[in-house]
Amino acid sequence: QPDASPGYCWPFQGSRSEVLIRLPTQIRPMAITIQHTSKIASPLGTVSSAPRDFTVSGLDEEGENETLLGTFTYAVQKEPTQTFPLQVQCIAFRLLKLVIQSNWGKPGYTCIYQVQVYG
C-alpha cells in the first residue's frame, strides 16, 4: 500500500536523478502523477527533498530512441499529489524515463513517494 508518511519514500542521491519505468504493456501515456509527503506531515515542517523540475520521456523497446513527453515543475505550495498532463499523447511506449532535474533545496537527496502513469 502506498504510504506518504515521512521517510517512506524512494530516495535518490543528490538533486538530479533519473529512473526508467517499465510498464506492464505498451500504452499511450496521457499523464503522470508525482506524490511527496505534505509539509504538515513532515516533522521539520519542510519538504525540501521534494522534486522540483523534472522531465518525462518515452523510449523505444531498446531504450535508444527517446521522445520528450513534457517538462514540469512540482509545486510544494500545492497538494502533495500532483498530476501533470503529458504534452505528447499520440505515441505508445512501454518504457518511460523520469528525470529529476532539481529539488526544493535538500543537498543530499531527493524523495519521491509515488509515481503513477495514466494512459
Side-chain angles (χ1 to χ4, degrees), residues 13 16-18 26-27 30 36 42 51 61 64-66 68 70 75 77 83 85 93 97 100 103 108:
Q13 186 174 8
R16 188 187 187 315
S17 300
E18 61 183 61
Q26 194 172 36
I27 65 164
M30 299 178 69
H36 194 271
S42 173
E61 283 295 319
E64 296 174 4
N65 296 317
E66 189 172 323
L68 181 65
Q77 317 82 305
T83 300
F93 298 99
K97 183 165 77 169
I100 307 298
N103 66 19

Side-chain angles (χ1 to χ4, degrees), residues 66-88:
E66 189 172 323
T67 302
L68 181 65
L69 303 178
T71 300
F72 309 100
T73 299
Y74 179 91
V76 292
Q77 317 82 305
K78 295 184 179 180
E79 293 295 318
T81 302
Q82 298 175 31
T83 300
F84 303 90
L86 298 176
Q87 296 156 352
V88 176

Side-chain angles (χ1 to χ4, degrees), residues 76-114:
V76 292
Q77 317 82 305
K78 295 184 179 180
E79 293 295 318
T81 302
Q82 298 175 31
T83 300
F84 303 90
L86 298 176
Q87 296 156 352
V88 176
Q89 300 179 358
C90 59
I91 305 170
F93 298 99
R94 185 165 184 196
L95 297 171
L96 295 181
K97 183 165 77 169
L98 172 65
V99 178
I100 307 298
Q101 312 257 332
S102 62
N103 66 19
W104 283 93
K106 189 75 173 176
Y109 61 92
T110 301
C111 276
I112 294 178
Y113 284 78
Q114 188 174 30

